[in-house]
């Protein structure tokens, strides 16, 4: 093997503390090295030409460059070598800058170390093999999990670009939390008015396959080639026959037994129901836990009144599988339920605020329903206990957020804004009412956000009190709110008619389970983890799986929409090519020695090890060996270190290469 | 006259956290002693215990292993496997005649350049106090293990 | 069961009836209370505002005495003593520097492993079933408001394992022996505690709020487990009656006194005559219920003319 060595001075960066000509001279004497030189800037055009020239003239098989960190210019030198005709994986970099010249002062010591590092690289490159990048085909179809505003946006973006989308929603209707909101900040435009057209667009889009009342059960495969199993929960209604006339729900005798999820428990719903009138799809489902028929075998009222014979009590959950190339996770958030918790619960709850004990202590989403024209009070501000108009209302921010002792240390981000909105909506509807807001800090970063909060304070005369509430209790139909005004340094007692708690946004309960299914990571709160907080905010550590919206962290509508479009764009980038290219640093099994113990399978974090049957010509099973799925393998090499018979090697970092470096240590 | 002892340290570091952390130490011009030689692996999970034995056999006076913090592994779980492996392996080292206190572990993330420098200097100082590692090398010479890998080099 | 007993100063002074009722109850339940020999001040209220070291060292001395005298459990019925003892124990465990300083003062090595228990915990430890078994008197005619005050449930991670904002462990004990409790709003409100001497006006105002809320929710009696709570609520009620027109007095009983009544112990022995607020009406109300023959009704009436 003919090896060429090139030592870069990096201007003075390396040259100042490392005697580069001496390094080059020393390298020339290493066995196998046929060419060695040093140059001021190896990464520059003339520098690269020196390498190319040497490759051509001396017919080099491999190249070692002593330069900056491989994270910096490995690609540059690989490309240069490839253009001169040697395989780009026959190039090794010795890090003479970050790991040597920049961190040492003594020239003799640094030069000696540089020579050692070069020797390591030269010994290693002797065991390099030409490699080709791996090409995998792409299924140009996307799965979107969650049909809230993020999922809707992502699905529409991808579908409008001409690619098919499967949209999975666990509830009977898409729309998510946004469909529950009354108005949106900072413009106070009606949430449903801007959302429902989008929902209909999803339903009618020829490229979008909407699977409502469904959940992702299993995911197999890898970037560009996922196979997803989806559970379609039994609706007890034949979707293809139902016209959405609503007669069944109207006639259902169960009217008061179930609380409406859509109205956050402030109203009741029937056993057969559509969550709300604008639901998409407008197909009812039967809640079997309350339905009389499923309990006693009698009733069948809905079946009797349905002219289309769409009711089917015998329906079972079914499973469908979909092939997709990318997955967008947009499963959203839920609210921290802050009632007093049992002793064993990990979250303490706020017993002192009396949520769950007093009817007139409600959370933010419940207030949205009360303020919403489609809500249980048709938009009139009436308190739940006696349906009277509250004249004094207290809003408490940061309930569960920014509170390590009873909730979560993070900021839920949207509460400052929606509380200002709530107070405003209240003042617009109850002119003689008084609104108080207890806050810790007002965090109103965002376009027109600060102005919005100022408007609530200055124009709508909402009383902002900086401090926390220690206790709420009910006396004679009034809620006594005890708190502290930290700016005035005084205790505050307010006799309120209604208290609205801005409770923390938290991750969905099933998020960790879904993360395991998708093989993505999640943080200690259950929020999904991005691949890089700055530069890869919508990607996950698993290729082809992207994040959108509040399943990643608390965020408002515009941010969720932006993130959804970003995730869609990332999917479309994937679909831009027919084949995916990736580094060939993956594990490979030597089938002749593999004993089939599958220790490698146990340690693989990517489920990349499969079982492969070896058969003779007659088709008799000879043995079962490990097989690496090159699409899934990410190249960590844990299997290589684990294999008892050394039958699996990590290409590019195999034992020979590393032992060569270790053996070179003898001459240090 | 005996020369002043300067320890040789072999450091196996993962590509994503510690190697990058060491890069950061370089970019920040954080000075450190020149006794350590880094060997880059993709992940601490890739490190076979035999690497460590071989490093001692080839003259290392101390071996340092460093990767991503537990829970931050670029490959999700490689460092967990590595950690489990070391817990078992450390006991075995003593058994085969290598002083296990010459083996060091640390977690250094890509942003902990300063921590890396402190660790490297700390290990070098500690090994300097321990003195050269002779026992195994002597044993090695006595039984004359042929260095198989060198034979395997085929110079075309 | 050998149980170490740390009465503290209050139980030898203002809260003598707390002391006597406890001893009566435990002898009825066949539990030996062995008073800690040579015990000293826990440092409550004054030590921790003067010197932090002193506030740790004073309880530490008593903790070590208990260890040396072979106790595994130490009952500290006073909420302030309890709080000081557990706080000190925790700090000695977590803060090595502090431990060494205190060891220096005490001139001995500090060891861990003592269980400090308060009044509520001891009843839980004895077992609610056992209390039920020994029940002689029915108290279902009266309604009790359980008042926890500040020190029983705070700080949250070292005090009684209960919800510090709305605790209910005392209620569960009373319910277990057939009593009724009210759901009220001032269970953990401040009684003015340490201002008892210096700022009686503040104390009166705070106590008035507590008592009013208990009465509003239909309580016949307020049950406490802290001598400070008791003296503030009971003694200050005389002045409250002077300063607030129309104040309806309400008797304040220690949890041990109420349990004593349930166990059929003579109210004189329980010290029910030692209160400022007459407990007779309360006893009359209890008496209205069926009382087993083993306890003569007349006995309940004696010695309650406060």
């Amino acid at each position: 093997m003919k090896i060429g060595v090139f030592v870069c001075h990096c201007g003075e960066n390396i040259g100042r503390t490392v005697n580069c000509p001496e390094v080059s001279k020393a390298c020339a004497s290493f066995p196998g090295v046929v060419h060695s030189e040093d140059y001021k800037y190896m990464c520059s055009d003339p520098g690269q030409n020196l390498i190319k020239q040497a490759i051509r003239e001396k017919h080099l098989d491999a190249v070692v460059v002593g330069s900056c960190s491989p994270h910096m210019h490995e690609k540059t030198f690989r490309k240069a070598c490839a253009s001169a005709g040697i395989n780009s994986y026959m190039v090794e970099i010795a890090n003479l800058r970050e790991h040597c010249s920049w961190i040492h002062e003594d020239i003799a010591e640094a030069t000696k170390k540089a020579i050692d590092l070069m020797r390591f690289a030269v010994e290693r490159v002797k065991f390099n093999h030409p490699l080709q990048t791996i090409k995998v085909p792409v299924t140009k179809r996307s799965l979107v999990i969650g049909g809230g505003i993020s999922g809707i946006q992502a699905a529409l973006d991808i579908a409008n670009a001409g690619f098919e989308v499967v949209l999975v929603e666990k509830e009977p209707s898409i729309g998510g939390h946004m469909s529950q909101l009354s108005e949106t900040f900072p413009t106070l435009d009606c949430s449903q008015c801007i959302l429902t057209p989008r929902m209909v667009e999803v339903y009618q889009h020829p490229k979008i396959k909407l699977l409502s009342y469904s959940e992702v059960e299993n995911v197999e495969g890898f970037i560009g080639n996922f196979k997803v199993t989806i559970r379609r929960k039994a609706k007890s209604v034949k979707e293809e026959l139902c016209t959405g006339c609503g007669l069944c729900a109207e006639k259902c005798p169960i009217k008061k037994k179930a609380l409406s999820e859509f109205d956050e428990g402030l109203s009741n719903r029937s056993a057969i129901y559509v969550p709300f009138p604008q639901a998409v799809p407008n197909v009812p489902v039967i809640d079997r836990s309350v339905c009389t028929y499923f309990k006693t075998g009698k009733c069948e009222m809905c079946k009797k009144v349905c002219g289309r014979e769409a009711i089917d009590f015998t329906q079972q959950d079914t499973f469908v599988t979909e092939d997709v190339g990318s997955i967008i996770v947009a499963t959203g958030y839920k609210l921290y339920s802050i009632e007093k918790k049992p002793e064993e619960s990990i979250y303490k709850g706020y017993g002192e605020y009396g949520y769950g004990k007093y009817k007139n202590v409600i959370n933010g989403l419940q207030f949205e329903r009360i303020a919403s024209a489609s809500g249980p009070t048709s938009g009139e501000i009436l308190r739940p206990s006696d349906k009277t108009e509250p004249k004094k209302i207290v809003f408490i921010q940061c309930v569960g957020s920014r509170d390590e002792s009873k909730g979560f240390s993070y900021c839920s981000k949207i509460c400052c804004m929606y509380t200002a909105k709530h107070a405003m909506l209240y003042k617009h509807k109850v002119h003689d009412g008084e609104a108080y807001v207890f806050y810790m800090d007002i965090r109103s970063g965002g376009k027109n956000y600060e102005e919005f909060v100022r408007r609530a304070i200055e124009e709508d005369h909402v009383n902002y009190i900086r401090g926390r509430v220690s206790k709420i209790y009910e006396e004679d139909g009034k809620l006594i709110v005890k708190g502290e005004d930290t700016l005035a340094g005084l205790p505050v007692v307010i006799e309120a008619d209604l208290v609205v708690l801005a409770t923390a946004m938290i991750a969905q309960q099933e998020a960790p389970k879904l993360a395991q299914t998708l093989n993505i990571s999640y943080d200690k709160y259950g929020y999904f983890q991005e691949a890089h907080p700055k530069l890869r905010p919508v990607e996950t550590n698993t290729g082809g799986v992207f994040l959108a919206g509040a399943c990643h962290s608390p965020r408002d509508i515009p941010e969720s929409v932006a993130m959804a479009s970003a995730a869609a764009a990332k999917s479309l980038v994937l679909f831009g090519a027919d084949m995916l290219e990736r580094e060939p640093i993956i594990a490979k099994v030597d089938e002749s020695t593999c004993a089939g113990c599958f220790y490698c399978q146990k340690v693989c974090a990517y489920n990349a090890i499969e079982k492969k049957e070896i058969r003779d010509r007659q088709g008799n099973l000879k043995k079962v060996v490990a097989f690496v799925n090159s699409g899934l393998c990410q190249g960590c090499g844990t299997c290589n270190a684990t294999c008892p018979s050394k039958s699996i090697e990590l290409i590019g970092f195999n034992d020979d290469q590393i032992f060569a470096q270790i053996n070179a240590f003898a001459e240090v | 006259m005996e020369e002043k002892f300067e320890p040789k340290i072999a450091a196996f570091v993962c590509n994503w956290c510690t190697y990058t952390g060491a890069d950061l130490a370089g970019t920040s011009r954080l000075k450190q002693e020149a006794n350590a030689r880094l060997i880059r692996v993709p992940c601490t999970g890739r490190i076979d215990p035999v690497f460590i034995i071989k490093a001692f056999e080839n003259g290392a006076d101390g071996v340092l292993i460093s990767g991503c913090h537990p829970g931050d592994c670029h490959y999700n779980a490689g460092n967990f496997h590595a950690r489990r492996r070391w817990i078992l392996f450390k006991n075995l080292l003593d058994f085969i005649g290598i002083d296990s206190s010459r083996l060091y572990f640390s977690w250094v993330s890509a942003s902990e350049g300063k921590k890396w420098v402190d660790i490297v200097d700390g290990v070098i100082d500690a090994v300097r106090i321990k003195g050269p590692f002779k026992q195994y090398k002597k044993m090695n010479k006595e039984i004359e293990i042929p260095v198989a890998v060198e034979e395997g080099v085929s110079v075309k | 069961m050998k149980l170490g007993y740390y009465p503290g100063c209050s139980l030898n002074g203002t809260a003598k009836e707390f002391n006597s009722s406890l001893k009566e109850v435990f002898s009825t339940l066949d539990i030996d209370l062995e008073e800690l020999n040579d015990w000293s001040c826990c440092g409550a209220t004054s030590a921790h505002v003067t010197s932090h070291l002193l506030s740790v060292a004073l309880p530490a001395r008593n903790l070590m005495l208990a260890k040396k005298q072979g106790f595994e459990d130490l009952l500290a019925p006073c909420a302030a003593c309890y709080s000081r003892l557990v706080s000190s124990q925790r700090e000695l465990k977590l803060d090595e520097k502090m431990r060494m300083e205190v060891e220096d003062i005490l001139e001995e090595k500090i060891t861990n492993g003592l269980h400090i228990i308060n009044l509520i915990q001891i009843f839980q430890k004895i077992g609610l079933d056992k209390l039920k078994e020994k029940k002689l008197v029915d108290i279902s005619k009266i309604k009790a408001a359980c008042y926890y005050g500040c020190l029983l449930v705070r700080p949250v991670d070292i005090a009684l394992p209960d919800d510090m904002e709305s605790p209910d462990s005392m209620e569960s004990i009373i319910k277990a022996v057939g009593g009724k409790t009210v759901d009220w709003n001032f269970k953990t409100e401040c009684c003015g505690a340490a201002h008892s001497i210096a700022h009686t006006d503040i104390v009166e105002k705070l106590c008035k709020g507590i008592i009013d809320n208990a009465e509003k929710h239909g309580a016949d009696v307020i049950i406490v487990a802290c001598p400070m709570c008791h003296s503030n609520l009971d003694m200050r009620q005389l002045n409250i009656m002077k300063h607030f027109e129309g104040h309806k007095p309400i008797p304040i009983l220690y949890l041990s006194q109420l349990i004593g009544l349930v166990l059929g112990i003579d109210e004189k022995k329980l010290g029910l005559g030692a209160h400022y607020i007459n407990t007779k009406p309360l006893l009359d109300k209890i008496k209205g219920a069926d009382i087993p023959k083993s306890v003569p009704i007349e006995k309940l009436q004696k010695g309650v003319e406060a």
Side-chain angles (χ1 to χ4, degrees):
Chain A
M1 182 182 270
K2 291 176 187 162
I3 301 166
V5 171
F6 302 87
V7 182
C8 178
H9 294 234
C10 193
E12 282 209 330
N13 280 309
I14 295 173
R16 193 183 296 128
T17 28
V18 172
N19 186 339
C20 296
E22 201 185 311
V23 173
S24 165
K25 215 173 108 195
C27 291
S29 67
F30 295 163
V33 174
V34 296
H35 176 92
S36 181
E37 65 179 314
D38 59 293
Y39 183 69
K40 207 95 183 141
Y41 289 106
M42 216 42 112
C43 60
S44 67
D45 247 11
Q48 290 190 35
N49 283 334
L50 279 180
I51 301 176
K52 289 179 197 167
Q53 206 183 334
I55 292 171
R56 288 196 199 98
E57 283 174 4
K58 306 216 172 160
H59 307 288
L60 302 177
D61 303 300
V63 165
V64 170
V65 186
S67 63
C68 51
S69 169
H71 290 163
M72 192 85 187
H73 274 310
E74 190 172 53
K75 275 200 178 133
T76 316
F77 292 121
R78 280 186 173 171
K79 232 166 111 185
C81 291
S83 72
I86 65 171
N87 184 279
S88 49
Y89 292 90
M90 296 305 287
V91 178
E92 280 298 325
I93 309 289
N95 189 342
L96 302 189
R97 197 176 72 176
E98 282 84 348
H99 288 192
C100 189
S101 71
W102 274 353
I103 54 171
H104 303 310
E105 279 165 330
D106 186 290
I107 294 178
E109 267 184 9
T111 306
K112 182 176 179 298
K113 181 172 176 180
I115 294 169
D116 287 339
L117 294 177
M118 292 303 287
R119 185 187 302 113
F120 283 18
V122 168
E123 289 306 318
R124 188 185 200 282
V125 85
K126 290 176 184 170
F127 292 92
N128 281 20
H129 296 283
L131 302 173
Q132 301 303 328
T133 51
I134 298 169
K135 290 201 164 84
V136 239
V138 185
T139 310
K140 296 184 180 182
R141 234 170 149 244
S142 210
L143 170 78
V144 176
I145 309 172
I149 182 60
S150 304
I152 289 173
Q153 180 69 33
L156 285 174
D157 280 350
I158 295 171
N160 287 337
F163 298 99
E164 275 181 42
V165 178
V166 181
L167 176 59
V168 175
E169 167 60 53
K170 69 173 175 179
E171 300 295 332
S173 167
I174 58 169
H177 284 308
M178 188 178 167
S179 64
Q180 292 178 287
L181 308 183
S182 54
E183 268 90 31
T184 56
F185 60 79
T187 46
L188 290 187
D189 46 4
C190 152
S191 180
Q192 286 214 349
C193 312
I194 52 178
L195 177 68
T196 41
R198 292 280 173 109
M199 290 161 65
V200 174
E201 201 184 332
V202 165
Y203 193 56
Q204 291 172 345
H205 205 295
K207 293 278 186 189
I208 299 179
K209 184 172 174 185
L210 172 60
L211 303 177
S212 64
Y213 216 47
S214 304
E215 282 176 55
V216 171
E217 196 77 11
N218 190 31
V219 175
E220 279 172 22
F222 49 90
I223 179 166
N225 299 275
F226 293 106
K227 201 177 237 353
V228 186
T229 311
I230 298 158
R231 174 193 289 267
R232 307 216 59 197
K233 293 184 278 187
K235 291 184 171 178
S236 313
V237 174
K238 288 178 188 153
E239 210 168 327
E240 61 285 3
L241 293 178
C242 175
T243 58
C245 69
L247 197 61
C248 50
E250 203 184 306
K251 296 289 180 195
C252 176
I254 303 283
K255 283 279 187 280
K256 290 257 155 84
K257 287 223 175 131
L259 292 173
S260 159
E261 292 85 359
F262 185 72
D263 277 340
E264 292 289 323
L266 293 175
S267 70
N268 298 303
R269 62 157 168 81
S270 40
I272 185 165
Y273 71 106
V274 277
F276 54 106
Q278 298 80 10
V280 169
N282 191 5
V283 175
V285 297
I286 294 180
D287 177 356
R288 295 186 175 186
S289 65
V290 292
C291 173
T292 316
Y293 175 81
F294 282 99
K295 281 180 158 172
T296 64
K298 291 194 187 91
C299 180
E300 301 192 33
M301 183 56 87
C302 45
K303 198 172 181 176
K304 282 173 207 154
V305 298
C306 182
R308 303 269 299 168
E309 295 186 350
I311 308 290
D312 178 6
F313 294 125
T314 61
Q315 226 177 49
Q316 298 289 324
D317 289 5
T318 54
F319 294 90
V320 290
T321 50
E322 298 284 351
D323 292 312
V324 294
S326 76
I327 298 175
I328 293 175
V329 190
T331 49
Y333 70 98
K334 63 173 201 157
L335 284 187
Y336 178 29
S337 78
I338 35 111
E339 67 268 17
K340 187 174 170 177
K341 293 289 192 325
E343 205 59 61
E344 62 279 5
S345 170
I346 42 167
Y347 302 122
K348 299 275 184 336
Y350 286 78
E352 67 269 36
Y353 288 173
Y355 181 84
K357 185 175 170 193
Y358 308 128
K359 272 189 162 179
N360 294 330
V361 179
I362 59 174
N363 66 32
L365 269 179
Q366 287 176 319
F367 188 82
E368 293 286 350
R369 293 314 302 145
I370 291 176
S372 170
S374 68
T377 58
S378 306
E380 263 189 274
I381 309 287
L382 300 176
R383 63 180 201 168
S385 71
D386 51 8
K387 303 280 181 284
T388 57
E389 195 176 69
K391 291 296 174 198
K392 220 181 247 185
I393 182 164
V394 169
F395 295 92
I396 305 175
Q397 291 189 182
C398 301
V399 181
S401 314
R402 303 179 66 195
D403 184 353
E404 264 176 70
S405 66
K406 295 207 140 198
F408 306 87
S409 43
Y410 58 82
C411 166
S412 289
K413 202 172 180 184
I414 62 164
C415 324
C416 286
M417 292 309 296
Y418 81 61
T419 300
K421 178 192 77 181
H422 284 172
M424 251 186 197
L425 291 177
Y426 169 68
K427 292 286 283 188
H428 292 175
K429 290 185 173 175
V430 184
H431 300 300
D432 59 342
E434 283 177 62
Y436 295 87
V437 176
F438 281 91
Y439 70 99
M440 281 161 60
D441 299 286
I442 297 175
R443 297 184 166 177
S444 52
K447 196 172 181 178
N448 289 325
Y449 282 14
E450 176 63 16
E451 293 90 323
F452 183 77
V453 176
R454 296 313 307 174
R455 224 167 84 207
I457 299 170
E458 285 158 18
E459 287 175 26
D460 291 312
H461 305 293
V462 175
N463 301 301
Y464 270 73
I465 300 169
R466 186 177 181 277
R468 300 288 286 164
V469 168
S470 63
K471 182 173 185 174
I472 296 168
Y473 61 93
E474 203 171 49
E475 286 301 345
D476 307 324
K478 294 266 185 196
L479 292 164
I480 316 294
V481 180
K482 286 190 160 186
E484 184 191 13
D485 184 339
T486 54
L487 295 180
L490 290 171
V492 188
V493 180
I494 297 171
E495 289 187 13
D497 300 307
L498 184 66
V499 173
V500 183
L501 307 174
T503 50
M505 284 169 97
I506 62 171
Q508 297 277 8
Q509 214 148 24
E510 310 85 20
K513 202 178 141 228
L514 182 63
Q516 280 156 15
T517 309
L518 291 165
N519 208 352
I520 59 178
S521 35
Y522 55 97
D523 64 17
K524 61 177 173 177
Y525 307 113
Y527 286 120
F528 300 127
Q529 196 76 48
E530 71 282 1
H532 188 279
K534 299 272 173 278
L535 301 175
R536 296 169 70 198
V538 299
E539 289 156 83
T540 64
N541 275 332
T542 298
V545 180
F546 308 109
L547 304 175
C551 63
H552 165 267
S553 63
R555 52 187 62 237
D556 61 16
I557 296 168
E559 283 177 333
S560 298
V561 170
M563 194 177 181
S565 286
K570 284 284 172 194
S571 285
L572 295 174
V573 167
L574 204 61
F575 299 164
D578 293 326
M579 298 292 248
L580 286 173
E581 264 197 22
R582 46 169 307 215
E583 285 265 297
I585 310 295
I586 57 164
K588 192 182 141 201
V589 177
D590 181 348
E591 290 171 0
S592 62
T593 56
C594 174
C597 70
F598 292 104
Y599 284 157
C600 48
Q601 199 176 38
K602 284 182 193 138
V603 297
C604 181
Y606 300 96
N607 302 324
I609 311 277
E610 293 164 7
K611 289 185 177 169
K612 182 179 170 186
E613 293 179 347
I614 306 281
R615 291 177 185 274
D616 64 12
R617 287 183 193 178
Q618 282 76 39
N620 302 317
L621 183 65
K622 298 309 266 184
K623 65 171 181 176
V624 182
V625 295
F627 173 77
V628 177
N629 183 324
S630 57
L632 286 176
C633 177
Q634 300 288 320
C636 68
T638 305
C639 53
N640 191 344
T642 305
C643 179
S645 64
K646 298 291 158 234
S647 302
I648 189 162
E649 66 164 3
L650 180 63
I651 298 167
F653 282 96
N654 66 23
D655 282 354
D656 289 347
Q657 291 169 309
I658 294 170
F659 280 132
Q661 278 179 284
I662 298 172
N663 287 331
F665 198 84
E667 289 171 53
V668 168
Chain B
M1 195 185 75
E2 203 166 316
E3 228 178 287
K4 194 185 148 227
F5 168 63
E6 275 304 324
K8 297 175 195 169
I9 309 293
F12 294 94
V13 299
C14 86
N15 183 36
W16 303 98
C17 288
T18 305
Y19 194 90
T20 320
D23 273 358
L24 176 67
T27 352
S28 321
R29 314 293 201 275
L30 300 173
K31 299 290 177 259
Q32 50 186 280
E33 294 193 72
N35 304 47
R37 303 287 181 267
L38 269 60
I39 296 172
R40 180 165 68 126
V41 289
C43 175
T44 43
R46 171 68 187 93
I47 302 170
D48 192 318
V50 180
F51 293 175
I52 299 163
I53 301 173
K54 280 278 173 195
F56 280 117
E57 192 183 307
N58 279 294
D61 299 301
V63 172
L64 169 61
I65 288 170
S66 183
C68 307
H69 284 269
D72 283 346
C73 180
H74 180 81
Y75 299 104
N76 294 352
N79 56 1
F80 287 135
H81 292 296
R83 187 166 64 176
R84 283 195 193 175
R85 216 176 276 150
W86 309 143
I87 291 167
L88 289 174
F89 175 65
K90 244 188 145 165
N91 298 328
L92 285 172
L93 260 189
D94 284 320
F95 178 75
I96 59 171
I98 298 174
D99 175 9
S100 66
S101 70
R102 290 177 182 273
L103 177 58
Y104 298 84
F105 303 102
S106 66
W107 313 115
V108 174
S109 79
S111 59
E112 294 175 324
K114 178 78 179 73
K115 183 178 172 191
W116 173 246
V117 174
D118 291 344
I119 286 171
V120 169
D121 285 348
V123 167
I124 293 169
D125 279 347
V127 175
R128 192 176 282 134
I129 291 164
K130 283 184 202 294
F133 177 56
K134 286 180 189 151
Q135 305 91 309
Y136 195 75
K137 265 171 257 177
K138 210 174 128 206
M139 229 156 65
N140 206 19
K141 222 169 259 173
E142 279 166 11
I143 47 175
E144 287 279 320
I145 297 174
V147 183
V149 185
E150 269 184 3
E151 292 169 2
V153 181
S154 54
V155 180
K156 278 179 203 165
Chain C
M1 184 158 59
K2 186 185 169 188
L3 190 60
Y5 181 45
Y6 178 85
C9 60
S10 293
L11 276 80
N12 284 299
T14 53
K16 270 187 174 153
E17 70 277 27
F18 192 5
N19 197 0
S20 57
S21 63
L22 254 179
K23 285 187 169 163
E24 288 298 331
V25 166
F26 283 94
S27 77
T28 310
L29 293 171
D30 299 324
I31 293 165
D32 288 332
L33 277 190
E34 201 174 308
E35 189 164 326
L36 189 63
N37 193 26
D38 192 30
W39 61 266
S40 56
C41 175
C42 73
T45 63
S46 36
H48 58 272
V49 290
T50 355
S51 150
H52 184 63
L53 180 61
L54 183 67
S55 76
V56 180
L58 279 172
R61 178 182 179 273
N62 292 305
L63 293 175
M64 291 318 295
L65 278 181
K67 277 296 271 191
K68 272 181 275 179
Q69 290 169 28
F71 295 118
E72 280 179 13
D73 301 296
L74 184 67
L75 171 66
C78 167
C81 297
Y82 169 72
S83 179
R84 283 321 309 157
L85 291 173
V86 283
S87 300
S88 167
Q89 189 179 45
R90 178 184 147 101
E91 189 151 351
L92 291 170
K93 196 172 154 194
L94 298 180
D95 187 347
E96 198 172 337
K97 197 165 155 263
M98 173 62 80
R99 202 194 66 221
M100 274 151 48
E101 270 183 80
V102 174
E103 278 177 353
D104 226 28
I105 295 169
L106 298 181
E107 294 179 341
E108 61 183 324
K109 266 253 168 288
I110 285 173
T111 50
N112 263 314
L114 185 71
H115 295 285
I116 303 155
I117 36 187
N118 63 24
L119 187 62
I120 296 170
Q121 283 167 319
I122 188 66
F123 285 129
Q124 287 171 341
K125 200 177 159 83
I126 290 165
L128 301 183
D129 289 338
K130 191 169 177 193
L131 288 179
K132 230 184 276 180
E133 250 171 57
K134 297 258 180 179
K135 175 185 156 186
L136 284 177
V137 177
D138 179 43
I139 53 163
S140 65
K141 286 264 154 62
I142 58 157
K143 283 187 198 157
C146 300
Y147 177 68
Y148 294 79
C150 50
L151 289 174
L152 276 177
V153 280
R154 290 186 178 88
V156 67
D157 42 353
I158 59 171
L160 188 68
D162 198 340
D163 185 330
M164 80 168 156
E165 303 293 351
S166 53
D168 57 9
S169 41
M170 235 195 284
E171 274 90 344
S172 55
I173 294 170
I174 294 177
K175 280 176 189 160
V177 294
K180 282 184 181 147
T181 57
V182 297
D183 187 15
W184 64 310
N185 294 321
F186 278 56
K187 284 183 192 182
T188 58
E189 216 71 359
C190 179
C191 70
H195 288 312
S196 189
I197 312 290
H199 297 285
T200 48
D201 52 331
I202 294 178
V203 173
E204 281 167 25
K205 215 172 108 188
L206 292 169
C207 288
K208 169 80 177 151
I210 294 165
I211 294 163
D212 282 357
N213 196 272
E215 272 184 333
K216 197 167 185 177
H217 288 86
D220 301 303
V221 59
I222 296 177
I223 304 297
V224 298
C226 165
M228 208 65 186
C229 298
H230 190 274
S231 73
N232 276 346
L233 288 172
D234 186 46
M235 182 170 72
R236 296 295 163 208
Q237 257 189 92
L238 299 178
N239 278 336
I240 290 172
M241 276 190 272
K242 268 186 225 157
H243 297 146
F244 297 88
E245 217 174 298
H247 176 82
K248 252 177 73 190
I250 185 167
I252 318 292
L253 258 61
Y254 287 107
L255 180 61
S256 52
Q257 290 179 312
L258 187 73
I259 299 294
L261 286 175
V262 172
L263 299 177
I265 299 168
D266 187 305
E267 64 269 20
K268 214 176 202 171
K269 287 185 184 165
L270 293 173
L272 283 171
H275 292 182
Y276 286 88
I277 302 301
N278 194 353
T279 51
K280 190 167 181 299
L282 181 76
L283 296 173
D284 289 343
K285 202 162 181 182
I286 295 175
K287 194 182 61 181
D290 294 323
I291 298 169
K293 275 179 189 148
S294 57
V295 183
I297 294 167
E298 305 84 78
K299 267 201 164 178
L300 279 177
Q301 292 169 308
K302 267 186 197 164
V304 287
E305 282 79 36

